Amino acid sequence: MSRYDSRSGDPTSYRDVEGFGGASAYGGSVRSLSSRRDYDAAEPTRKLDLDGLTPFEKNFYVESPSVAEMSETDVEEYRQRREITVEGRDVPKPVKSFADVGYPDYVLQEITKAGFVEPTAIQAQGWPMALKGRDLIGIAETGSGKSLAYLLPAIVHVNAQPILAPGDGPIVLVLAPTRELAVQIQQEAAKFGASSRIKNTCIYGGVPKGPQVRDLQKGVEIVIATPGRLIDMLDSHHTNLRRVTYLVLDEADRMLDMGFEPQILVAQN
């Protein structure tokens, strides 16, 4: 069963994120208003410095004719059949096939190579929302295709942005609670980003920093990181988040259970 919570965002905002939660009902509630209020109240004089930030695009979704023709009854029947529950305003209709998403050929080629037949439930509903640049919390079972639900829109997002300049940090940041999950996500990012020559790196604790630092200094569009090592790299000025316009919290509930809330809030701010 998949559940979605979508919130509209200001199309010019540098604070919008793509948040994907874990398999529990707690999901990605690190984006809750109470957490933001508590954090902002603790630092009332803190201001965002948006000067000099690179402009970006985030809405790439064009509804296909076959999806547009779906009636509300059709949509409801499809969601019930796929066990999809949605909450939020103006939630787009789900897609039934990969062709409905409007992915570029280089993405469709990778999907075909992987042998996928149809989108999973979280992909069918999550892709239109992510491609529209909407704030999103997605809750789905393990093995439901959650990683590709955010990685494929991330690849489209990266390819639409200005190229990295020397000293730029990543465009996409994926936070994961453990080294094992971070490595799994990187493998998927490498596989599906290869045709676009999108560079990525995985940074986590428990190993020497040297290779990770070198990757960051060379410039990578996608960083998959555990919270503690990310904060370490930021504090050491080995990277920055000024170019991040697509943020994913994978298994956010687990990160909170592990006590990573302060690090997550710092990364989001």
Side-chain angles (χ1 to χ4, degrees), residues 17-63:
V17 304
E18 307 295 340
F20 286 75
S24 76
Y26 197 56
S29 57
V30 67
R31 282 283 294 166
S32 68
L33 294 179
S34 60
S35 294
R36 289 299 331 158
R37 282 198 297 266
D38 293 344
Y39 185 69
D40 292 341
E43 297 191 57
T45 62
R46 188 183 184 94
K47 293 183 179 180
L48 288 175
D49 179 13
L50 303 182
D51 293 338
L53 293 184
T54 303
F56 67 94
E57 299 291 334
K58 69 172 188 174
N59 187 349
F60 312 102
Y61 183 64
V62 178
E63 191 174 67

Side-chain angles (χ1 to χ4, degrees), residues 8-233:
S8 297
D10 177 357
T12 62
S13 171
Y14 285 82
R15 299 305 307 280
D16 290 340
V17 304
E18 307 295 340
F20 286 75
S24 76
Y26 197 56
S29 57
V30 67
R31 282 283 294 166
S32 68
L33 294 179
S34 60
S35 294
R36 289 299 331 158
R37 282 198 297 266
D38 293 344
Y39 185 69
D40 292 341
E43 297 191 57
T45 62
R46 188 183 184 94
K47 293 183 179 180
L48 288 175
D49 179 13
L50 303 182
D51 293 338
L53 293 184
T54 303
F56 67 94
E57 299 291 334
K58 69 172 188 174
N59 187 349
F60 312 102
Y61 183 64
V62 178
E63 191 174 67
S64 72
S66 60
V67 173
E69 290 172 359
M70 293 173 65
S71 66
E72 290 303 316
T73 300
D74 294 334
V75 170
E76 184 59 28
E77 289 178 350
Y78 180 79
R79 286 175 176 158
Q80 287 182 359
R81 180 168 63 84
R82 301 299 301 272
E83 297 185 314
I84 298 171
T85 303
V86 299
E87 298 179 12
R89 301 192 306 271
D90 302 322
V91 178
K93 300 174 182 178
V95 297
K96 294 183 177 181
S97 71
F98 298 116
D100 288 336
V101 191
Y103 278 132
D105 288 341
Y106 59 83
V107 173
L108 292 176
Q109 289 171 5
E110 296 296 334
I111 291 173
T112 301
K113 285 168 55 179
F116 297 133
V117 177
E118 66 174 345
T120 66
I122 193 169
Q123 293 166 358
Q125 185 63 71
W127 278 338
M129 299 158 80
L131 286 168
K132 284 176 71 70
R134 297 284 294 271
D135 292 352
L136 166 64
I137 298 172
I139 302 172
E141 297 176 352
T142 301
S144 60
K146 176 164 53 69
S147 295
L148 289 187
Y150 60 74
L151 282 177
L152 294 190
I155 290 169
V156 174
H157 182 92
V158 167
N159 283 329
Q161 311 308 323
I163 62 173
L164 295 179
D168 278 349
I171 294 171
V172 173
L173 173 62
V174 181
L175 287 179
T178 65
R179 166 184 177 174
E180 292 75 18
L181 178 57
V183 170
Q184 291 176 18
I185 296 168
Q186 185 192 26
Q187 291 171 347
E188 293 295 290
K191 181 193 306 180
F192 288 89
S195 60
S196 303
R197 297 185 179 180
I198 292 176
K199 300 181 295 296
N200 70 74
T201 193
C202 189
I203 60 176
Y204 47 82
V207 297
K209 298 179 185 178
Q212 299 176 2
V213 170
R214 286 192 289 273
D215 283 348
L216 293 172
Q217 291 176 341
K218 291 176 184 176
V220 290
E221 287 84 8
I222 300 177
V223 165
I224 303 103
T226 53
R229 178 55 63 95
L230 173 65
I231 298 300
D232 189 3
M233 292 296 189

